[in-house]
Amino acid sequence: MNQSHPLAVGEHEVFIDGVRQVYHVAGNGPVCLVHSGGPGFHWKYLQMPELEKTMTMVYLEPVGTGKSDMLPDGNYSMPRYAFFAHKVAEHIGAQKYYFLGHAHGGGVGIQYALDYPGELSGLILQSSAPTMGMDLYMEQFKQIESFAQRWPDNAEAQDAKQAMMDSKNVRDKESALAVLHRLLPAYFGNYWKVKEKVGEWKVVLDFFGDPNRLPYEWDVRDILHTITTPTLILVGEYDVNCGPRWSKELAEKIPGSRLVIFEEGGHMEHVEHTEQFTQAVNEFVAQTKL
């Protein structure tokens, strides 16, 4: 555990209201808080070595995940996640900084921009949605159907669709990871084109859902227009989890936001289209940093 400067490269911890929050620092340049998805995905899958060349990436281990503590009350609401990220920003002493959130982490970023207006230099939403509830889940099932139809003769693709159905029976970490590895083909626009790259990446995939997590729904579609933070929205054309439907709505409602849709891309664009993804983020940062 790194006990030196809170922005020194390496692993750090800070206690927030008595709860251990772990984060990892890598790279140089403008500070960017990075929040993984799930909720429950371990931070490592979202590591972005190419962006570390131009930014100081602060990878959060969200509460209830990895080495961070679980919340005793089980209240993992979006404002609660945003609060913990905000306290990390305070701890590291960043004056102006960016927030990059993936999927559920993007929801945390949206909440952050709503709860702490004026703090962020920019908000980067990767494969995100402004709601978490039945609308989102119904859209996911619609998109997994479309995915399976695109690869009708591919056994892995058909099994990925079945894995989505089986995910509702997940009861522990082992069964979650087993379903996740079967689901992987659906997380990419063309899994078989990047299978070797994904093979190296997926060894770091880890997931843990706090069994004491209280049920929670979230919807901020009606207040997106109040966000004043410069916002970059990134999504893959074939993202089955948080597809273009949601990104287009975010772009329409968040004033002055910029939308980039990766042609034939999926849910993991930092892996599948690393170069284009990195370029889009770097251009956004160049345009927004003070």
Side-chain angles (χ1 to χ4, degrees):
M1 193 68 66
N2 197 327
Q3 300 299 338
S4 57
H5 188 278
L7 264 181
V9 169
E11 181 180 308
H12 300 258
E13 67 176 24
V14 56
F15 283 83
I16 299 164
D17 293 349
V19 175
R20 178 193 291 105
Q21 166 74 69
V22 175
Y23 66 94
H24 304 259
V25 179
N28 284 292
V31 173
C32 183
L33 301 179
V34 186
H35 202 292
S36 56
F41 273 107
H42 192 265
W43 72 279
K44 193 80 176 167
Y45 85 96
L46 201 54
Q47 188 158 14
M48 301 175 181
E50 289 303 308
L51 279 179
E52 291 169 15
K53 295 175 182 176
T54 54
M55 304 182 80
T56 301
M57 305 293 271
V58 179
Y59 299 102
L60 303 171
E61 294 206 30
V63 284
T65 303
K67 295 178 183 174
S68 292
D69 286 345
M70 289 183 272
L71 295 178
D73 60 5
N75 174 24
Y76 292 88
S77 68
M78 287 294 189
R80 197 86 178 274
Y81 281 114
F83 168 76
F84 275 89
H86 169 68
K87 296 306 276 186
V88 170
E90 276 188 353
H91 173 71
I92 63 179
Q95 296 306 307
K96 276 287 188 176
Y97 46 96
Y98 292 82
F99 189 110
L100 190 159
H102 177 241
H104 174 266
V108 178
I110 293 167
Q111 190 69 51
Y112 198 112
L114 289 165
D115 291 351
Y116 308 102
E119 288 200 7
L120 297 174
S121 294
L123 174 62
I124 303 158
L125 302 175
Q126 179 190 355
S127 302
S128 304
T131 183
M132 195 173 73
M134 196 48 68
D135 281 0
L136 178 65
Y137 308 140
M138 294 302 288
E139 180 70 12
Q140 287 171 344
F141 281 107
K142 187 173 139 188
Q143 292 306 320
I144 196 79
E145 286 285 353
S146 298
F147 164 77
Q149 286 164 15
R150 277 202 310 281
W151 307 95
D153 304 318
N154 186 306
E156 283 182 297
Q158 300 309 309
D159 185 56
K161 176 187 167 184
Q162 185 57 46
M164 174 80 90
M165 309 304 163
D166 294 344
S167 64
K168 60 181 179 289
N169 301 319
V170 162
R171 291 289 174 267
D172 54 29
K173 180 174 176 172
E174 286 68 31
S175 58
L177 282 172
V179 163
L180 183 59
H181 280 103
R182 289 170 56 208
L183 254 176
L184 275 188
Y187 280 6
F188 295 85
N190 188 334
Y191 173 75
W192 298 276
K193 194 187 279 186
V194 290
K195 197 168 181 178
E196 196 173 309
K197 195 176 180 184
V198 172
E200 296 169 18
W201 166 82
K202 72 180 181 183
V203 297
V204 302
L205 269 183
D206 202 357
F207 182 89
F208 177 76
D210 184 348
N212 296 314
R213 179 185 299 276
L214 297 174
Y216 181 74
E217 292 200 355
W218 171 78
D219 196 326
V220 292
R221 284 177 279 187
D222 290 347
I223 53 173
L224 289 173
H225 66 279
T226 66
I227 291 176
T228 55
T229 304
T231 303
L232 173 65
I233 301 157
L234 305 166
V235 69
E237 178 186 3
Y238 296 139
D239 187 339
V240 298
N241 269 28
C242 302
R245 168 190 167 174
W246 303 114
S247 289
K248 286 173 181 173
E249 184 170 2
L250 288 167
E252 284 164 14
K253 291 182 176 177
I254 299 176
S257 56
R258 180 176 176 229
L259 172 63
V260 177
I261 299 177
F262 297 95
E263 196 175 328
E264 297 185 359
H267 190 57
M268 301 287 182
E269 288 307 88
H270 64 292
V271 177
E272 190 167 17
H273 292 115
T274 308
E275 194 176 313
Q276 298 98 306
F277 181 91
T278 304
Q279 184 181 341
V281 173
N282 280 334
E283 285 176 1
F284 173 70
V285 171
Q287 290 161 6
T288 53
K289 72 179 177 184
L290 295 174

